[in-house]
Structure formats: structure tokens, C-alpha cells
Amino acid sequence: MARIVQKFGGTSVVDMEHIRNAALRAKAEHDSGNEVVVVVSAMSGVTNRLVDYVTSAGELCDDSEYDTVVSSGEQITSGLMALTLQGMGIPARSWLSWQIPIETDAAHGKARIRRIVVDELEKRLGDGEVVVVAGFQGVSPENRITTLGRGGSDTSAVALAAALRAERCDIYTDVDGVYTCDPRVVASARKLDKITYEEMLEMASLGSKVLQTRSVEMAMNHNVCLQVRSSFDESPGTLIIDEDTIVEKEVISGIAYSRDEAKITLVKVPDRPGVAASIFGPLADANINVDMIVQNVSDDGTSTDLTFTVARDDLDRAKAVLEERQGKLAYAQLVPDSNVAKISVIGVGMRSRVGVAQQMFCTLAENGINIQVISTSEIKVSVLIEEKFTEQALRSLHTAYDLDAP
Ligand code: ADP
Ligand code: ASP
Ligand code: MG
């Protein structure tokens, strides 16, 4: 007997037919004697609609009410899933975050899970009941509903798997695994049998939305055996595993992209100690995350240009913060640009192989694509390019690194 968490994403519960199909997977595990926790997302498109409602309600005076509205899609699917299982003769019960509870901090819209009280769930599982949990939601110390950020049901599932010490956490979605690149953009993308936690973490944080970044981080920290697979067919999925268990390490495992970027260039910033701190300090205070940074060498020893990127949603706020301080920062001009995309190549094999970045730069050059900013870490190289070249860059890099499906 094993304890298994199954998470069904929005496209896997989009209507009653899909919910029945998902319920059959839970039933199959239950019939073979396993303890089953089902985590559900909202029906595909519902969360977007709920966000639109909140936006149309006007200024967000109280962000906890955002979560009250936006978390509601998962309430519907958890009830429907429990009802469907009951209709199949399986004892099942739905659980909202506050009923468990799944305790989070109070960062509404992007809350982090602090603790899950598992006693009642363990008892129910022991009694043979299928536990159906509404994903994406938690409850704050002030006893308000929170949400875990878009895509957060993945994190609900992994957190439950960790807290309940489940043998496996299966993420059911509309693709049959993690691919070398988003298969909807690069048709020749290849499915990976396995990928390391570290690579998956980079892929997710650099834009591959197949798993929420936080869920991978949590799986890595708690050693959760995580699998991404299709809810539409029986093909084997992708296992996310420890690097030590992979013998043959790929140089490049995948390519990710993100259009959620914006670039800011500050022209003629004074070239003296403390300037970077006086620019990035106020941005951090405003909770604006800065990603890539380049500072040019100053020609004349007096001023230099500084370019960096922020999330596209934060561009207006970042501009406001810097413009307010223009007098003190003494830059000549602020040039915003949201017409950019970040392309990243990722692979643990990069650690022991030279020339990976060079191959990326050559391939982009051959395609006439200009690189605006570069950043690297031990296992990834990222470049910022003009947004219109996104697909061309992905496809040509995919071929250059020999990732195309045979
Ligand atoms: P769900 O609603 O099941 O959570 P998501 O839309 O969040 O599904 O995630 C699945 C989608 O992730 C796929 O449809 C695919 O377009 C996208 N995706 C992006 N990068 C990758 C990748 N490297 N491998 C597989 N899917 C990817
Ligand atoms: N329904 C939420 C969203 O669309 C959470 C999830 O699907 O994981 O972001
Ligand atoms: Mg998702």
C-alpha cells in the first residue's frame, strides 16, 4: 500500500467529462489499495475570469478580498470531484484550505505555506477515504483566505505530499511530461524521461510554466518524488529526481523563455561608489525584484549607462520609484522597454563543459538576433532579446544544441 498525491490542472478538470476521467485515475489507485489525496485546480480559464472580475471592481483597496474571489474556482472543482468519486462508490470528501488548515503567511496573492495540519487527513486516509483538496489556497494568520500565486496548485500538491510523507506526487496536465522546450512553441521538442530538481527549478523560474517554481523548490527540499504526466493518456511522464541518480548528464536539458520581462536603461548614471546601492535599494524597498543587470565601463570616468530587467508587471512601479529619485540619482534619462524576451539554456552538464554560452551567442548571431543583456549561473545562460525573435531564437537554439526529436 502506498500513499499517493494526484494533482489535476485546469485543463484536466475543465468540464464534467474531464472530472470523471480524472476521478477514474483516483479510483484506480484507490481500488489497488492505495491511500489517495487528490488536489484540484479551478476549471481552465476560471481563475483568469475571476481575476478580471476583481480588476473590474476598481482599485484593490484590500488584497485579501482578491484572494476571496480568485480562490473560489478551486472550491467548485473540489466539490465536483468529491461528488463524482462518491457517485463511483468511492468514499470521498472535499477540503478547503481553512478546513485542514493549510497555514500560510499573509502575503495575499503570493502566500507561502508555513504548515499543514495533517491529523484529520491522515485519519480519513486511514479509513479509506479519498481526500480531495482545493489547490491554490491557504489561510493566513489573520484567518483570511490566501492564494499561492498563479499555478499554485502544484505547490499545494507538493506541500501535501511532503506533509503526508507520500510515496509519490503525480502532476496530471495537458502535456505528457516536461519537454526540452515548450512543445506548443517548438514542435520538435522532445519529452524528457527525467530531469534533475535543480534543472527543473531553473526551467520553471526562467519561464517554463509546466510546474510552479515554488513547487519544485519544495519537492527538492523535502525529497518529494515528483512526476509530470498526462491526464489524457497512459504514456509515462517525466520524473524529477536528484542529480546523483542521473549517470549520463546532458549538457543542455532544456530551453526556457519568458515574455514577462521589461528592461530599464538609466543613461549617464554618475560613476561613483554607492550608486548601484542607491538605485537598487529603493526598488527592493518597493518589493520590485531586479533580475539581469549590466553596467557599462565608463568612457570618461564620470558617468556610465546601467541596464537591468524587472517583471513586466512591475515596470510602471519601477519607473515611478526611479523618476521620483531622479534628482538624487542624477541620471540623464530613463529608457523603459517592454518589447523584450528572455531566453535561457539550462543543463547541469554545463558545469563540466566549456563553449555552451559561445554556441548560444553564435547561433543567435547567425540568425541576426541581437543580444541586449546576458546573465549566467553555474547551470544556465540567459539572454535578453527583442520579443519578436522569441520563436526563431528558441527553434534555432533547440536545433543547435541537438535537442530536436528524432
Ligand atoms: P495545468 O493547468 O495542468 O497546471 P499548465 O498550463 O500550468 O497546466 O502547464 C502545462 C503547460 O506548460 C503545457 O500546456 C505547455 O504549453 C507548458 N510548458 C511550458 N514549458 C514546457 C516544457 N518545457 N515542457 C512541457 N510543457 C511546457
Ligand atoms: N487556478 C490557479 C491558476 O490558474 C492555480 C492553478 O491552476 O494551479 O493559477
Ligand atoms: Mg499549472
Side-chain angles (χ1 to χ4, degrees):
M1 191 191 71
R3 184 173 284 177
I4 288 156
V5 175
Q6 300 182 318
K7 179 255 170 178
F8 295 98
T11 43
S12 308
V13 291
V14 69
D15 54 27
M16 283 317 299
E17 193 190 329
H18 285 78
I19 290 178
R20 260 190 295 278
N21 173 55
L24 284 172
R25 292 193 180 260
K27 181 178 184 302
E29 293 289 4
H30 186 267
D31 287 350
S32 48
N34 292 327
E35 293 181 348
V36 186
V37 178
V38 176
V39 177
V40 284
S41 290
M43 293 176 180
S44 183
V46 166
T47 309
N48 286 346
R49 205 168 328 130
L50 295 168
V51 171
D52 288 346
Y53 285 143
V54 177
T55 311
S56 64
E59 195 199 339
L60 189 60
C61 304
D62 175 350
D63 54 8
S64 94
E65 298 304 347
Y66 168 94
D67 283 344
T68 307
V69 178
V70 168
S71 63
S72 62
E74 274 73 8
Q75 174 161 352
I76 298 171
T77 41
S78 61
L80 290 172
M81 177 61 79
L83 276 173
T84 307
L85 283 163
Q86 289 165 7
M88 292 172 175
I90 308 287
R93 178 63 63 210
S94 67
W95 295 86
L96 302 179
S97 58
W98 60 271
Q99 294 172 305
I100 297 176
I102 297 177
E103 297 172 0
T104 69
D105 60 19
H108 287 283
K110 49 176 186 305
R112 289 170 79 94
I113 296 175
R114 286 182 173 163
R115 190 170 79 114
I116 302 181
V117 181
V118 290
D119 306 8
E120 183 66 21
L121 300 189
E122 292 212 299
K123 182 177 164 300
R124 301 286 180 134
L125 289 169
D127 292 344
E129 210 169 273
V130 173
V131 164
V132 182
V133 178
F136 188 43
Q137 25 171 285
V139 60
S140 78
E142 290 79 34
N143 213 18
R144 303 292 309 169
I145 298 297
T146 53
T147 59
L148 309 179
R150 297 306 304 271
S153 297
D154 296 331
T155 301
S156 309
V158 174
L160 280 159
L164 288 162
R165 295 177 309 282
E167 265 78 3
R168 243 176 41 227
C169 180
D170 291 338
I171 305 286
Y172 285 94
T173 184
D174 57 359
V175 279
D176 58 359
V178 178
Y179 278 68
T180 46
C181 193
D182 187 344
R184 296 189 201 287
V185 180
V186 176
S188 57
R190 193 157 40 83
K191 186 171 82 182
L192 299 162
D193 297 333
K194 30 191 178 221
I195 182 167
T196 67
Y197 288 116
E198 253 185 307
E199 288 167 318
M200 193 61 238
L201 190 60
E202 290 280 11
M203 291 271 280
S205 70
L206 294 167
S208 301
K209 291 185 177 145
V210 60
L211 285 174
Q212 198 197 34
T213 307
R214 182 85 188 100
S215 72
V216 187
E217 198 177 23
M218 203 179 274
M220 183 159 90
N221 292 340
H222 296 273
N223 247 309
V224 172
C225 174
L226 190 61
Q227 181 175 206
V228 176
R229 52 182 311 192
S230 167
S231 60
F232 306 132
D233 64 45
E234 293 300 327
S235 54
T238 301
L239 282 173
I240 314 341
I241 54 171
D242 256 340
E243 187 175 340
D244 301 347
T245 47
I246 296 190
V247 183
E248 196 72 50
K249 296 189 176 75
E250 302 283 345
V251 179
I252 297 297
S253 293
I255 306 181
Y257 72 99
S258 166
R259 299 181 201 266
D260 298 335
E261 313 288 317
K263 181 181 73 167
I264 292 180
T265 301
L266 294 177
V267 182
K268 286 196 182 299
V269 177
D271 192 16
R272 58 166 190 258
V275 166
S278 62
I279 292 170
F280 297 119
L283 290 172
D285 292 342
N287 217 357
I288 296 169
N289 198 21
V290 172
D291 179 17
M292 308 166 99
I293 304 177
V294 277
Q295 180 175 345
N296 296 334
V297 178
S298 111
D299 274 347
D300 52 6
T302 62
S303 69
T304 177
D305 293 350
L306 185 75
T307 299
F308 56 90
T309 61
V310 295
R312 204 173 281 188
D313 283 349
D314 287 338
L315 178 61
D316 289 343
R317 279 196 314 123
K319 258 176 65 188
V321 167
L322 296 169
E323 280 167 358
E324 202 179 295
R325 287 168 180 74
Q326 176 161 23
K328 183 157 173 275
L329 299 175
Y331 57 84
Q333 201 190 349
L334 184 157
V335 186
D337 182 3
S338 53
N339 184 25
V340 290
K342 182 168 69 177
I343 310 287
S344 308
V345 297
I346 297 134
V348 285
M350 226 182 258
R351 289 198 187 110
S352 53
R353 192 74 80 86
V354 292
V356 173
Q358 174 61 4
Q359 184 162 15
M360 183 176 201
F361 305 152
C362 287
T363 306
L364 294 172
E366 281 158 19
N367 281 270
I369 301 172
N370 187 39
I371 299 172
Q372 304 180 6
V373 188
I374 302 169
S375 73
T376 61
S377 78
E378 214 186 359
I379 65 162
K380 65 111 183 173
V381 184
S382 299
V383 296
L384 199 73
I385 59 170
E386 199 181 333
E387 187 179 3
K388 71 174 185 198
F389 293 119
T390 306
E391 283 86 358
Q392 189 186 343
L394 290 173
R395 290 179 192 139
S396 54
L397 288 169
H398 202 267
T399 304
Y401 285 110
D402 219 6
L403 295 174
D404 290 344

